Amino acid sequence: MKKFALRPGTLSLHDLRAIARQHTPIALSKTAYTAIDASKKTIDDIIDEGRVVYSINTGFGALAKVRITEDKFETLQRNIVLSHATGVGKFLSDNTVRLILLLKINALAQGYSGVRREIIEFLVTLYNKQIYPCIPEKGSVGASGDLAPLAHLSLPLLGAGQVRIRGEIKNAKSELKKHGLQPLKLAPKEGLALLNGTQVSTALALMGLFATHDCFAAAMVAGALSVDAAKGSTTPFDPEIQRVRRQRGQMDIAKVYLELLKGSEIRASHKHEHDPKVQDPYSLRCQPQVMGACLDHIRFAADIFWREANAVTDNPLVFPKTGDIKSGGNFHAEPIAMAADTLALAIAEIGSMSERRIAMLIDHTISGLPPFLVQDAGINSGFMIAHVTTAALASENKSLAHPASVDSLPTSANQEDHVSMATFAARRLGDMAANTATIIGVELLAATQGVEFHKPLKTSKLLQQAIKVVRERVSHYSEDHYFAPDIRVATAMVEDGIFSEFMPQGLFTCK
């Protein structure tokens, strides 16, 4: 397989999504080594000059005033990795760990961290050989970096910890030996450079972002199908209505709905001056306003996550041109925490609107469709309890959408007295997106069912294609049957991004 040429600091969201979804070998650009070597030389010069610099010859955090002698340098760096590997909970997925490795390589290789090329090459080898360190999902507050999870990422460099290879968890030291890798002895600053940084929070946020993209695309298709299923009006999507609102996302989204519904025979059948559907329920009529707002916030979050994916976030930072080492707070993950909170609102609202449309479709007094979208209602319950499931998931997302970034507990003897909680803020996005994907999956089934009740009238050509995608996987609901497998299949369609092809290119790009 051709290797992806990694030029540090230049990863695009397209690159990140592709790598998050499927392993692609990487090769670090040769020009990066000039900056890496210069950064390392700066560290060596400082040691030779006998200067006292945080993390090189001092303790860490609240112990920063403790001076470390040169004979303890290696022990200092090794100890910080071992002592900080305190994560708990389930291990992060291979896809997430692959992205974390990539982001850590991308940051260290920019030449502001003072590590040797051997450290980066070791990480590249782990990445390319798909040897994924086992990283527990809990234990970081997202300040001073993702210390605990990044310590677990770093353990294999010392020949410690566990790795996962092709789904199997193995002892790191023995597995590395099989692949010709020997444990490294860490040089000054290298342990802290590995542990400091927002790569775990950022990777989790990116995984949530990409899942949101897939949910959003599917929700757009499902929402358009629901309009036709309920014989809704397209007037609320008129460009003039959007223009006077001046909201970019709203204007962009209304265009997509009009394109999806263009040429629908169902819409044409009831499009007249006295169309009673002018005042549709908000879940149909206000889709441009709600989904447009969600799109604006998705774009905002995407821009923050992209910047952070290419950022250098350890501490202190090395500036070879001046020979300076400067201590700051780039490890504080507040940008990720706040953007993840914003994205959580969008995920919750996408699911909430979808759940409301399902409720509308199964209510024959509003939709005009058979009760619960099934013939012989009474003997058949149809979509009745499938809707209850979506209501439960939408409600769960309301709780998960509570902002994490406003919470803070001081740590490290009050040295780290304000923290971001970014790791949780980002991690919960995955759970929320999974909930929303299921809700939208049910709506796709419900709306497809509804449209089919209007035969021989046809929906638009684009939506006919969408129905074909659904019906290739799930049959029409003609009578009650074991429904859970159908819902799982529909959810998988959403999560696999099948409906992204119905969206215009660049829809999620921040403009």
Side-chain angles (χ1 to χ4, degrees):
M1 183 183 294
K2 185 178 179 181
K3 290 186 176 181
F4 172 78
L6 176 58
R7 293 184 296 113
T10 66
L11 288 168
S12 69
L13 283 174
H14 176 79
D15 297 333
L16 291 162
R17 180 183 171 103
I19 288 170
R21 293 298 170 94
Q22 184 175 1
H23 172 72
T24 303
I26 62 172
L28 191 61
S29 65
K30 293 182 179 179
T31 56
Y33 287 104
T34 301
I36 294 167
D37 293 342
S39 180
K40 171 57 181 167
K41 185 178 184 303
T42 303
I43 298 293
D44 293 339
D45 290 344
I46 285 170
I47 294 171
D48 291 342
E49 293 167 9
R51 291 162 55 187
V52 178
V53 176
Y54 172 70
S55 82
I56 295 176
N57 46 22
T58 74
F60 305 109
L63 300 175
K65 295 180 181 179
V66 178
R67 179 72 183 272
I68 308 298
T69 57
E70 190 166 345
D71 62 316
K72 302 291 186 183
F73 283 176
E74 181 194 336
T75 302
L76 175 69
Q77 300 301 320
R78 179 180 177 84
N79 282 354
I80 191 175
V81 175
L82 297 174
S83 67
H84 285 44
T86 58
V88 297
K90 297 183 298 183
F91 292 142
L92 296 176
S93 70
D94 287 352
N95 287 2
T96 303
V97 176
R98 177 168 62 247
L99 201 52
I100 296 168
L101 277 168
L102 177 71
L103 297 183
K104 178 55 80 173
I105 294 164
N106 189 45
L108 295 179
Q110 292 183 51
Y112 296 101
S113 302
V115 303
R116 293 167 295 162
R117 58 171 64 191
E118 288 86 348
I119 296 290
I120 299 170
E121 288 170 348
F122 198 110
L123 294 173
V124 170
T125 300
L126 291 180
Y127 175 97
N128 283 338
K129 289 182 177 290
Q130 300 182 66
I131 303 172
Y132 298 124
C134 292
I135 305 176
E137 65 179 1
K138 299 179 182 181
S140 174
V141 296
S144 220
D146 293 312
L147 293 172
L150 286 175
H152 286 274
L153 180 83
S154 306
L155 285 174
L157 279 72
L158 306 180
Q162 296 173 301
V163 295
R164 188 160 50 200
I165 302 176
R166 293 183 293 278
E168 293 186 25
I169 296 174
K170 311 225 177 192
N171 175 272
K173 187 173 183 179
S174 59
E175 286 304 309
L176 294 177
K177 187 176 181 181
K178 292 178 185 177
H179 289 83
L181 292 170
Q182 295 297 321
L184 298 177
K185 292 183 178 181
L186 299 180
K189 196 184 176 302
E190 289 180 340
L192 188 60
L194 287 165
L195 271 56
N196 253 180
T198 62
Q199 287 80 32
V200 175
S201 298
T202 305
L204 288 165
L206 287 166
M207 295 297 287
L209 174 70
F210 301 145
T212 304
H213 286 171
D214 295 332
C215 285
F216 190 93
M220 291 290 294
V221 173
L225 282 168
S226 290
V227 169
D228 253 8
K231 288 191 172 182
S233 173
T234 55
T235 300
F237 308 142
D238 185 279
E240 291 300 297
I241 294 175
Q242 325 313 320
R243 180 180 59 81
V244 297
R245 185 70 182 275
R246 301 177 185 271
Q247 296 294 344
R248 175 63 62 188
Q250 177 179 327
M251 290 188 281
D252 291 345
I253 286 307
K255 291 178 185 176
V256 177
Y257 280 119
L258 287 175
E259 186 65 25
L260 286 170
L261 288 158
K262 186 170 66 176
S264 168
E265 293 178 5
I266 298 172
R267 172 57 182 148
S269 73
H270 62 97
K271 186 177 182 181
H272 50 76
E273 185 178 354
H274 302 292
D275 184 358
K277 290 292 186 177
V278 171
Q279 294 295 310
D280 289 324
Y282 289 2
S283 60
L284 294 180
R285 194 193 338 162
C286 298
Q287 287 186 85
Q289 289 76 17
V290 176
M291 294 297 281
C294 290
L295 179 60
D296 284 335
H297 288 84
I298 290 168
R299 287 169 171 172
F300 163 77
D303 185 59
I304 297 293
F305 298 162
W306 167 71
R307 293 174 188 277
E308 196 74 0
N310 287 294
V312 180
T313 54
D314 62 293
N315 185 68
L317 295 174
V318 181
F319 296 92
K321 289 184 179 180
T322 60
D324 291 330
I325 293 190
K326 299 181 179 182
S327 187
N330 279 4
F331 49 67
H332 199 295
E334 192 77 359
I336 293 296
M338 295 182 75
D341 283 344
T342 299
L343 187 58
L345 297 177
I347 296 171
E349 285 296 86
I350 294 166
S352 176
M353 282 284 279
S354 179
E355 181 275 327
R356 287 292 80 206
R357 290 192 295 268
I358 298 167
M360 178 271 302
L361 290 173
I362 66 174
D363 186 342
H364 68 98
T365 65
I366 301 174
S367 68
L369 295 166
F372 300 104
L373 300 173
V374 67
Q375 298 291 5
D376 298 323
I379 188 67
N380 290 309
S381 296
F383 282 72
M384 181 189 296
I385 305 304
H387 168 251
V388 173
T389 297
T390 66
L393 296 176
S395 184
E396 183 176 305
N397 272 357
K398 294 175 188 177
S399 296
L400 289 171
H402 185 280
S405 59
V406 297
D407 188 18
S408 179
L409 282 173
T411 59
S412 193
N414 281 309
Q415 173 73 13
E416 298 158 6
D417 58 349
H418 182 278
V419 299
S420 72
M421 298 298 176
T423 322
F424 169 69
R427 177 167 55 83
R428 59 75 140 88
L429 297 177
D431 291 336
M432 293 185 69
N435 287 342
T436 292
T438 300
I439 297 170
I440 298 165
V442 172
E443 186 190 0
L444 285 165
L445 297 179
T448 295
Q449 186 92 350
V451 168
E452 289 173 339
F453 281 125
H454 295 308
K455 289 179 178 178
L457 294 176
K458 296 178 181 178
T459 186
S460 69
K461 289 185 178 180
L462 276 176
L463 293 181
Q464 286 179 55
Q465 293 174 24
I467 289 174
K468 184 173 183 290
V469 169
V470 173
R471 287 295 176 238
E472 285 174 346
R473 295 161 175 81
V474 181
S475 300
H476 182 86
Y477 197 116
S478 56
E479 60 182 5
D480 281 351
H481 60 279
Y482 181 26
F483 202 7
D486 293 353
I487 294 173
R488 284 196 293 269
V489 171
T491 302
M493 284 192 285
V494 177
E495 293 178 333
D496 290 344
I498 291 174
F499 297 98
S500 296
E501 64 184 64
F502 292 89
M503 296 297 105
Q505 284 191 341
L507 180 66
F508 299 113
T509 304
C510 188
K511 299 178 181 179

